[in-house]
Each structure stands twice: as C-alpha cells, then as structure tokens.
Amino acid sequence: MLASPVAAAAPPGASSCSGCHGAPGGAVPSLIGHSAEDIAASLSAFRSGARPATVMNRIAKGFSESESRAIADYLAGGGQ
Amino acid sequence: MSGIGRRAVLAGLAATALPRPALAQGARGRVAVIGGGFGGATAARVLHRAGLDVTLVEPAETYWACPFSNEVIAGLRPMSAQAFGYEGLRASGVTIARTSAEAVDGAARQVRLADGRTLDYDRLILSPGIALRFDALPGYDAAAAETMPHAWKAGAQTELLAQKLAALPEGGTVVLSVPGNPYRCPPGPYERASLIAYYLKAHKPRAKLIVLDAKDTFSKQKLFEQAWKALYPGLLEYVPLAAGGQVTAVDPAAMTVATDFETYKADLACIIPPQRAAPIATQAGVADRSGWCPIDPVTFESRLVPRIHVIGDAAIAGAMPKSAFAANAQGKVCAEAVTDLLAGRTPAAPKLINTCYSLVAPGYGISVAGVYHPDKGVLADVEGAGGTSPVDAPDTVRQQEATYAEDWYRTITSAVFG
Ligand SMILES: Cc1cc2nc3c(=O)[nH]c(=O)nc-3n(C[C@H](O)[C@H](O)[C@H](O)COP(=O)(O)OP(=O)(O)OC[C@H]3O[C@@H](n4cnc5c(N)ncnc54)[C@H](O)[C@@H]3O)c2cc1C
C-alpha cells in the first residue's frame, strides 16, 4: 500500500487548528469547504474584535495578517 | 506497508531484503514512536501519512483518556466514554508494537522492547507521559494510592476515586491535595475540586471539601474562585501555600493529611503527588535533574541525546502547559520536523496553539488559550495573544464554553484514535 499524497508543509500554526475544528456537525464549526478568503476574513475579524467569539479572539491575536492568510490558504487547500 | 513495518521490527531480519514503498517528499528512514497517548498516537499518524516507516510502541490495548475523567469521578459520565482503542490507527496503516519499550540506546539508535525484540531507528519520538513520584511525599507510595487515589492517570484510579466519592458518609470530609509546578494539566486539580463540590452539593450537602495547594496562584484562578463563591459557598475551602496549604506528609492508615501547620482528618483523600517524565525518558538519558526533558523548541529534539525527540507531558515545553491539546499540537509539529530532517531539509520555526477547557459545573465551562513560538531557545507565549475567558461573562458564554469543551473532546479523540 502506498502512502497517500502529502499536502504542502503546514505554515506556522496551521496544524493546531484541527485540535478543535473537526468534521461538520459539531458545535465548533468545521473548516471543510470554506474558501481561503472566508477563513482569512474570519481570522482578521476575530483579531480586531469585530467578530465576537469565546476563544478565537484570543487565538487570532497570535497571528499576523500574512500568517493568517497562509493558514487560510493551507486549510482551504485541504490541509489539516 | 504494515507488513514491512512489522518485519522491520523483528530483530535479525534484514530490512534491506524487503521491497520498500516509494516515500513521499523524499524522506527516508525509520521512525520509532514510544507511547500511544495524545502526543505519540498523533505523531505516528502524521509520520505514516508522510510516507515514513513508523512503528508505534504502546503496551495498552485500551487508552484511558484523562480529559473529562473528572466528570466520571463526579458521576456525570460513564467510564466507557474515556476508553479508546488502537483499531483506527492500525486500520490507517500504522504499525503498532503492542509492548513497552524497556531501554533506549541513543548511541546505537536502538530500542529494546519488553517482548524481546529490538527496534532500530533513525529518529525516535518519545511521548511516554508522566510518572507519579512515589518518593516525593512522605507516606505516599503506590500502596497508599489504593487508599488515597491520585486518579492522575486515568483508568482504574479514576474508577476507584469515583467509588470512594459515592461511598462518602453524609457530612464527611474530602481532602484534595495539589502539587507545586510543573505537573500534568495545570487547571485539572481545580476542575476536579469544582466537580467534587458539585457532586457533594447534589448528593451530600453536609459534606465538605478542603483543597490543600502547594501554590498560591494557579491556572484560571479568578474564574475558578468566582465560580466557587457563587456555586459552592461553605462547601469548598481553598487553602493556598501562604495559608499553610502545602502537604508535607500523608498517613493512609490513619487517613490523615499533614501540612506544616495542621493535620487534616479525611473520610476521603485524593492526593495528586509531584510528577516527572515517565521512566523510559530517564532511562534514555533525555530527562535532566528536574525529571523532565529539555528540548529544542523548533524540532522537539532532545537537548541531551541527538535523534531523540520528546513531546507531550514529558517535555519541558516552556510556556506550553502539559495538556492533551498541547501534546496533539506538538505531535504534529514534531512529526513534520522529523520528516524534514530525514529528507535533509531544515525545519521552519513553528507556531503552536493550546486551548484548555474546564467545567466547574455541568453547563458552566471556562477556558485558557495560548499561542506559542520559539524565542531565545524556548517555546514562549506570543505576546498579546491568549488568555482566559472573561471574568464577567453572561451565563450564555459559560454554557457555550461547556458545549465547546464537549465538542473539543469528541474532535480530538476521533482525530487521534478514530
Ligand atoms: C484529571 C485530568 C484532566 C485533564 N483534562 C484535560 C483537558 O481537559 N484538556 C487537555 O488538553 N488535557 C487534559 N489533561 C492532560 C492530558 O491528559 C495530558 O496532557 C496528555 O494525556 C499528555 O499526552 P502524552 O502523550 O504526553 O501522554 P499520555 O497521554 O499519558 O500517553 C503516554 C502513553 O505512553 C505509554 N508509555 C509510557 N511508557 C511507555 C514505554 N516505556 N513504552 C511504551 N509505551 C509507554 C503509556 O501507556 C501511555 O499510553 C488532563 C489530565 C488529567 C489528569
């Protein structure tokens, strides 16, 4: 059996996301099927406080705009 | 893949004679992972996905998860909700050696297994968790733990403490002792105190809980104290270090717990003793005099023995707490770094996240979160990020965090073991 193809290396922080964001149907929204624009915009809104949150506001502040963008691209590209 | 892994485990069989699968990303090499908990099972899965030849060494067929075990103690969920097997990992193709690692020879890059086999490695990842220090608190040893359970490794101890709590006489006294830093799950003892208090309030309202702490400050302190005041007044008494909270000896026969100032008579004592990295870490030479394992913050490679990486509770991960979330995040980062190193690439500086929820009552959750990066040789907090839930939050926020806690547990356990 051959190993499945490997996605591009995860940018800093991206691999932690799947600690909470899993399959669809849970209380924590799944990130599957979201566009990179969508995820990047959410992270930006969490960081600025424009979008209220319990936990993501605290986490998003640990990432710059460009880091968030890289994470969004990675997740939207099927990385986990 | 699993056939090759299994054969590679067998000492004396020439792995070179076997056909090798094409390896992704150009990484080649044998990786051994010791410990199939939140850290090790994660690392094994990621390494396997990257096409590496990985063997996970774990003696237990059932992994008993600690997160949410305080809820079991308080009678809020069944013990079966803490049990996870390794079928999922096996089915995904990870080779599992169902035995324990007895000795690691870092110079020969070899692990001796309890079943007599040896395992050669190019890189080794250790995620063996903690050992309870039965030499650190006078009177408290393995036998004492049968009378005064720690329940700090989930399984039989969790059930024992739950049974003893259910059997507590009306108006009885529970004593909970909390060690100094560092130890597994910084907010765990306070979640346990909260849920024992919840149980007492519901079932034995005249009983009392005394929490004896070797520290003056602790994780999510303001939030816990606010909740205790509101929910458990007169029931939960918290004694910090400054007020004489440090336990100096216990006597399981007399059921007493002593501090420098007072001796407490208990009907039920839960003693969480000081801890260190599990014995295999010391044996491998990767633990320092503190009992824990210093690591490089980019690759998690041991500062003491090259080509051995340490993740999870056993590691000194700087500002990162000893949590299942952290062990999972570290397992992924370490596996990627090992893949890079085996392919001759230099691993990039990572960022890691941690989120820890605690329940102080059903439907009442609080959390702490952090973002970490390598800084001056250690994993440090990314400034301006992280922190705890707000102190003055409406009930809806507490309810939501309790829901998120449940959801987190489901997601992480299915990602690691599913
Ligand atoms: C009461 C309590 C509540 C908690 N709640 C939470 C929570 O809500 N959220 C959270 O994130 N964390 C929580 N934790 C912490 C969490 O359980 C640990 O941080 C986590 O389990 C650490 O993972 P690990 O991989 O380092 O070790 P472990 O999960 O302990 O796994 C170690 C594994 O290594 C194996 N092993 C040991 N020695 C050997 C050997 N020589 N050979 C082979 N295998 C070996 C063991 O059998 C074990 O399976 C809690 C802990 C407690 C005690």
Side-chain angles (χ1 to χ4, degrees), chain B residues 33-41 57-60 62-70 73 86 97 99-102 127-130 151-154 184-185 188-189 191-192 278-281 311-315 321-328 354-358 408-409 412 417:
Chain B
V33 180
I34 297 179
F38 282 100
V57 183
E58 167 62 55
T62 299
Y63 177 80
W64 296 101
C66 286
F68 275 87
S69 65
N70 287 325
I73 291 161
Y86 292 96
T99 182
S100 61
E102 275 195 345
S127 187
I130 58 157
W152 219 241
K153 285 188 176 188
R184 157 176 285 182
C185 195
E191 179 186 71
R192 176 170 295 177
I280 192 68
I311 56 172
D313 288 358
K322 298 187 188 306
S323 76
F325 193 113
N328 173 252
N354 176 64
T355 307
C356 273
Y357 293 98
S358 305
W408 166 78
Y409 183 72
I412 198 158
F417 299 102

Side-chain angles (χ1 to χ4, degrees), chain B residues 332-406:
Chain B
K332 294 173 201 164
V333 163
C334 179
E336 287 198 0
V338 164
T339 307
D340 280 343
L341 289 166
L342 288 172
R345 290 187 297 261
T346 305
K351 271 192 176 178
L352 297 100
I353 299 169
N354 176 64
T355 307
C356 273
Y357 293 98
S358 305
L359 285 191
V360 292
Y364 189 133
I366 55 178
S367 68
V368 61
V371 184
Y372 311 90
H373 64 161
D375 187 26
K376 301 184 185 74
V378 296
L379 279 167
D381 281 298
V382 172
E383 246 177 89
T388 62
S389 321
V391 172
D392 295 308
D395 290 352
T396 50
V397 169
R398 306 291 186 227
Q399 175 68 58
Q400 190 169 36
E401 293 221 284
T403 308
Y404 282 171
E406 287 271 359

Side-chain angles (χ1 to χ4, degrees), chain B residues 190-191 194 219-228 360:
Chain B
Y190 312 97
E191 179 186 71
S194 306
S219 178
K220 310 178 205 171
Q221 182 164 5
K222 280 204 179 90
L223 293 158
F224 275 115
E225 289 182 339
Q226 183 189 51
W228 292 345
V360 292

